[in-house]
Amino acid sequence: VETGKYRQLWEQPQPAFYLPFDAAPASFASIIVHAGGDPLELAPAVRDLAREVDRRVPLFDLKSLDAHVSSALWIYRMSATLASTLGAIALLLAIAGLYGLVSYRAAQRGHELGLRIALGAEARSLLALVLGLGLRLGLAGVAVGSLLALGASFGLGSLLFGVGPRDPATFVAVGAILVTVMLAAAPRPALRAARTDPATSLRAD
């Protein structure tokens, strides 16, 4: 039969062949039945046919192929769900942290922004200034995070299927998501900085 994975998902594809049931060297074997509808509806008929062949052979663990595959994948699905949940929490923390950092940096530059407004700077240029600050912070975070992720990826190979631990498309997609999040988090403090009253900023300094 076709070379493939027949025991575990993480094994290398192996050549395989089937033996007649009577010639199988193992003490147990699997019977696979192709069904047009619900496969579990055929369970009584399969049991009856097995008893006709040999009543001494017990038939157990009857389930659909989908259930069989799901039971083999549950630990990986649980790990993926946990990782996704932690990733979502980390994303929310990143949004909150970026917003706070951009706001803090904009507040630190309040005197400069007030001077710019007093000298005739347009709100658009101030908005671009603060957004650029957030963009630089976000890109620096993506660069550092990508390096850390590359280092951490060496231990994740056994948990991934169909994608490598250092897949370039994955890193590009995650980086794009984080930059998008940064652009979504930065506008509010940027708008607040653009509306700074120059007199208030100069008095505060």
Side-chain angles (χ1 to χ4, degrees):
V1 294
E2 183 179 359
T3 298
K5 301 179 179 182
Y6 288 91
R7 292 181 178 85
Q8 304 290 344
L9 288 173
W10 56 82
E11 70 179 0
Q12 292 297 321
Q14 301 289 335
F17 62 93
Y18 291 117
L19 292 172
F21 185 79
D22 291 339
S27 58
F28 65 92
S30 299
I31 300 175
I32 300 176
V33 178
H34 179 73
D38 183 3
L40 295 181
E41 292 181 355
L42 296 178
V46 171
R47 289 184 184 277
D48 292 340
L49 289 173
R51 291 192 185 99
E52 290 181 10
V53 175
D54 191 340
R55 290 183 173 274
R56 298 172 299 172
V57 176
L59 217 62
F60 60 93
D61 199 21
L62 287 176
K63 55 186 175 183
S64 66
L65 186 59
D66 288 338
H68 179 72
V69 173
S70 296
S71 64
L73 293 176
W74 78 269
I75 184 64
Y76 305 103
R77 287 175 174 166
M78 183 179 67
S79 300
T81 301
L82 178 61
S84 299
T85 302
L86 294 176
I89 294 173
L91 188 60
L92 292 175
L93 291 175
I95 295 172
L98 181 61
Y99 174 79
L101 187 58
V102 173
S103 298
Y104 176 71
R105 292 287 291 165
Q108 278 188 321
R109 301 179 68 172
H111 181 64
E112 174 192 347
L113 296 175
L115 284 177
R116 287 176 180 269
I117 295 174
L119 294 174
E122 297 182 354
R124 182 185 309 172
S125 64
L126 297 179
L127 184 63
L129 177 68
V130 180
L131 282 176
L133 173 63
L135 183 60
R136 289 193 297 273
L137 291 172
L139 291 177
V142 169
V144 173
S146 297
L147 292 176
L148 293 175
L150 280 172
S153 64
F154 290 98
L156 298 177
S158 62
L159 299 176
L160 301 174
F161 303 100
V163 62
R166 291 171 292 280
D167 180 55
T170 302
F171 277 83
V172 171
V174 171
I177 291 172
L178 292 177
V179 171
T180 302
V181 167
M182 178 276 308
L183 291 176
R188 187 172 178 181
L191 288 172
R192 187 168 59 189
R195 295 168 182 162
T196 301
D197 182 5
T200 301
S201 298
L202 295 174
R203 280 199 306 268
D205 229 43

